[in-house]
Every structure is written in C-alpha cells, then in structure tokens.
Amino acid sequence: MTNSASSSQHPLAVTGLILSGGGARAAYQVGVLAAIAELLPEDAENPFPVIVGTSAGAINAVGLACGALSFPTAVQRLTAVWKGFRTGQVYRADWPGVVVQALRFLGHSLLGLGKRQPVALLDSTPLRYLLERELDFSGIAAAVRRRNLRAVAVTAFGYESGQAVTFYQGRATIDPWLRHRRVGVPTRLQLEHLLASSAIPLLFEPVKVHREYFGDGAVRQQAPISPALHLGANRILVIGVSGNPAQGDANEPVGRHQTGQPPSLAQVGIHLLNSTFIDSLEGDIELLNRINYLSSLVPEGKSRKALGLQPVDVLVISPSRPLDEIAAQFRHELPSALRLFLRGPGATKASGAGVLSYLLFEPGYCNALIELGYRDAMEKRTEIARFLGMEDWSL
C-alpha cells in the first residue's frame, strides 16, 4: 500500500519510520531494515530522520537511533542480537523462574498475598540486562547534534492517567503536544522508557517512570502514526507485524475454520493481542489514506493545510505470510517450562499459535521472520527507492 511521491515533489521531505509492537514478531522489522541497509549507497546517511517505535518496535527504534551516525552498522547490530535471541534473554523461561513467578502472580492477584508491588505472569528481568549491555543511549544525542537524526520516540501507556505518552528525544525546536489521551513529552530517553513501552499487560510488570507506572504503549495508542507527524515527518514508512491488509487474510489466526467449540484461553488471548498491537495501526493507515484521497479533491488555490488535509505519503511493508503459521512450525523451540505453562491455555496447539508468535524469542522463529522481512522488502525495492527519493539506487 503506497501513496508515495518522488523527492522532486517534496524537496524538504522528512521521512518517518514507524516500528509497531508485537513481541517476537518485531524480528520481521529487522529483516526489512537489513534489506534497506543493503540497498543504500555506501555513503548514504540515516534515511529516517524521525524514528518512532512502540513495545518491541520501540527497542528496535532506539537501537537504530543510538547508531544513527552509521545506519548500516546499527542494523547489523540489531540483526546480530535478533538472530541470536533466546527466550531466556527476554524473560525467565527456566523451571524455577516460571514456577516462582506463577505462584507470585496467583498469590498476589487472586489471594491478595505479599507486598503491594507490580506482578506479572512472566519475569522480564533478563530483558533489562540485555538492553543495558546492547544500547548506548549517548549515541542519540550525538546523532541529533550532527543532524543525522531529527527525533526518536517511544510510546508507553500510563495506568493512572489513561494516556498514551510519547517520550521523545530530538531537536529543541520540536514542541510537545497534547491531544485527547495522547501526550508528547520531550525527555532524554533512558532504559526505563523502553522497558515501560514493552511491558505487555499481565505478561510483563509495569515500569515506573517518574511518578506513574507505565505499560505497553500499544494499549491505548489510538493514532500510532501521529507522533511521527508531530515530530516533523511528512512521509511515513510503516513496518508492520501483521499480515498485509491488502491481502485480507494474512492476519487471521491459524485454524480459523469454525468448529462450534468454545475458544481456548490462547484463542481469546491472540485476539486481545492483535487488537492491541495491530488493529489501531491498520485503522490509522486507513484513515491517513482517506485523508490523502480527500486532499487530492481539494480545488487548486485552496489551502489543504488550513482544511486539515495535508497529504502524507505512506509506504507499508508487512508480512506476506501469516506469522501464526511460522510460529506453529517452531513451537518445539519453546523452553520446556514455558511449554508446560502454556499447554493448558492451548497456546502450544495450532489454534493457539498466535500467542507463540508474540512470545517465541528463539533462533529458528526469529531467523525465519528476519528472512521473510528481507524478502518482502527486496520484492518492494523499487517502491522503497522511489519512496525515499533514491531512484538511482543500484537495484
């Protein structure tokens, strides 16, 4: 899906990159980025002055921003991390970790035992250690100072305020914003912002940032593309983690035929996860395309900006295969403790593989998604080159 124009029509074009959430599904984004890095000329600068991410996409976004002085190097680093992923690097998947966390959750949430503190089904402490080791946040300021980056932003959801808060770091000329349940807050991005943005409700613990606890930014993010526009982007590349909306059925769960049986917890869970991570982004893309269409109908001489119909070029790259099916092929990689833990809800069955597609941080699955993302981007390499105004790329 694209409504793109060449750079000659947009001499001051600012390209924004949107990286949506989706747990392990975000490996797909790395494959797309690897293809773009390969297509770029050797002396090309960072092609995305504005980078916005949510949940696992926030981790990829900040990874790119930290290395924005050398886009290919940043992508190589991200790719190496994702190719070597193990579930235990994101959350505890060993027997003691799974059992203790499950008992804490049941005791605290159902029986009211223990201290008043955030509790979740999974212990995501390993993710903190991984990010501390892999990310150098000082690279963001250096990239902004040398104008290789305009801004990077991550979105988290405030449990008390009920707002989707976009924390951004960038040039001082970017003003904060306040919309209905959407706030833009300038800050110096730190580890807590990433952990908060990726804290999937119930699965991972909320994270305290300043005086409020935050969770996954996709929960109440009604307009995922909006932060990039606030940060100055006027054309958007979206790397999604659902099936391509144009193909209609790639986002549907495996085993979607009607059986007349009550849904398992895994089937309920996958629809909740999809509604959180996918539906709002696809709805926002559809709305933006409608605005672009209405903008094209405005008579010459009328101000599109004054009418709120400023066109925004959009290019969407999303999986050409259902990720549920790929996850089902690699469910044997899930650590044994998690496999037993998820068997009861039905997540280890084909009908519940959608849940695994979010939680399966294992090499086979992640590498399959990286390869899929790479192939999908290469199939669109001409569109990508045209969209970024680099028609002279060697394709």
Side-chain angles (χ1 to χ4, degrees):
M1 180 183 347
T2 178
N3 291 310
S4 59
S6 67
S7 59
S8 62
Q9 293 172 292
H10 294 281
L12 299 177
V14 177
T15 305
L17 175 66
I18 304 291
L19 299 174
S20 60
R25 290 177 172 224
Y28 176 84
Q29 299 169 350
V30 177
V32 175
L33 293 170
I36 293 174
E38 184 175 312
L39 293 170
L40 279 170
E42 291 185 4
D43 58 346
E45 296 184 351
N46 170 33
F48 305 111
V50 174
I51 306 175
V52 176
T54 304
S55 193
I59 295 173
N60 287 339
V62 171
L64 287 179
C66 289
L69 291 178
S70 176
F71 180 78
T73 302
V75 173
Q76 289 173 7
R77 190 176 182 88
L78 271 179
T79 304
V81 171
W82 278 95
K83 283 189 172 183
F85 249 141
R86 293 285 182 182
T87 301
Q89 293 177 293
V90 180
Y91 54 88
R92 288 196 63 178
D94 57 302
W95 280 102
V98 171
V99 172
V100 170
Q101 192 69 12
L103 291 176
R104 283 185 61 208
F105 181 84
L106 292 174
H108 182 279
S109 302
L110 298 183
L111 303 177
L113 303 176
K115 298 179 180 179
R116 183 175 176 80
Q117 60 182 3
V119 177
L121 284 168
L122 300 173
D123 180 357
S124 58
T125 303
L127 179 60
R128 174 183 289 272
Y129 298 145
L130 175 68
L131 297 180
E132 284 178 342
R133 184 176 68 250
E134 295 293 338
L135 296 177
D136 179 7
F137 287 88
S138 65
I140 298 176
V144 171
R145 185 169 58 251
R146 294 179 57 175
R147 295 191 173 274
N148 285 67
L149 183 70
R150 177 179 174 85
V152 57
V154 303
T155 300
F157 163 69
Y159 278 100
E160 290 189 74
S161 65
Q163 293 179 321
V165 181
T166 298
F167 299 101
Y168 68 90
Q169 182 175 347
R171 298 181 189 173
T173 54
I174 301 174
D175 295 325
W177 62 89
L178 175 62
R179 299 292 185 271
H180 178 64
R181 296 198 179 279
R182 294 185 285 119
V183 182
V185 178
T187 189
R188 195 174 185 88
L189 290 178
Q190 299 176 2
L191 183 59
E192 264 58 40
H193 298 107
L194 285 190
L195 294 173
S197 181
S198 57
I200 302 174
L202 296 182
L203 294 180
F204 298 151
E205 292 182 1
V207 178
K208 194 172 186 179
V209 180
H210 304 305
R211 285 184 278 181
E212 185 175 9
Y213 279 94
F214 286 86
D216 199 296
V219 173
R220 295 292 293 271
Q221 194 176 32
Q222 300 172 346
I225 295 176
S226 176
L229 304 181
H230 283 293
L231 295 172
N234 51 27
R235 62 183 179 188
I236 305 293
L237 174 63
V238 178
I239 306 179
V241 294
S242 71
N244 190 331
Q247 296 175 349
D249 63 352
N251 187 35
E252 292 298 318
V254 176
R256 60 186 177 274
H257 58 279
Q258 296 181 354
T259 64
Q261 299 296 318
S264 65
L265 284 176
Q267 287 175 298
V268 173
I270 186 55
H271 286 293
L272 291 175
L273 288 170
N274 284 346
S275 66
T276 298
F277 290 106
I278 295 171
D279 292 353
S280 58
L281 177 60
E282 294 183 350
D284 209 22
I285 293 170
E286 183 178 354
L287 176 61
L288 193 56
N289 284 331
R290 288 179 180 174
I291 291 175
N292 286 342
Y293 174 71
L294 291 175
S295 175
S296 68
L297 301 179
V298 175
E300 291 293 332
K302 295 285 186 179
S303 172
R304 293 182 174 89
K305 188 174 182 179
L307 293 172
L309 297 175
Q310 189 78 1
V312 178
D313 297 341
V314 184
L315 176 63
V316 180
I317 302 176
S318 55
S320 57
R321 286 185 58 197
L323 302 190
D324 299 4
E325 290 182 357
I326 300 175
Q329 295 171 7
F330 293 96
R331 59 177 178 264
H332 64 277
E333 290 190 343
L334 197 68
S336 58
L338 260 295
R339 199 156 52 240
L340 179 62
F341 184 68
L342 296 174
R343 182 181 299 166
T348 57
K349 299 178 180 179
S351 60
V355 173
L356 292 185
S357 72
Y358 287 89
L359 298 177
L360 192 55
F361 292 90
E362 292 293 331
Y365 176 61
C366 290
N367 278 275
L369 296 196
I370 291 172
E371 291 173 8
L372 179 63
Y374 179 87
R375 290 198 305 269
D376 288 349
M378 281 300 185
E379 288 181 1
K380 288 193 172 185
R381 57 187 179 274
T382 302
E383 292 178 64
I384 293 172
R386 186 182 303 115
F387 180 79
L388 295 179
M390 303 286 285
E391 291 89 343
D392 58 340
W393 286 0
S394 178
L395 302 177

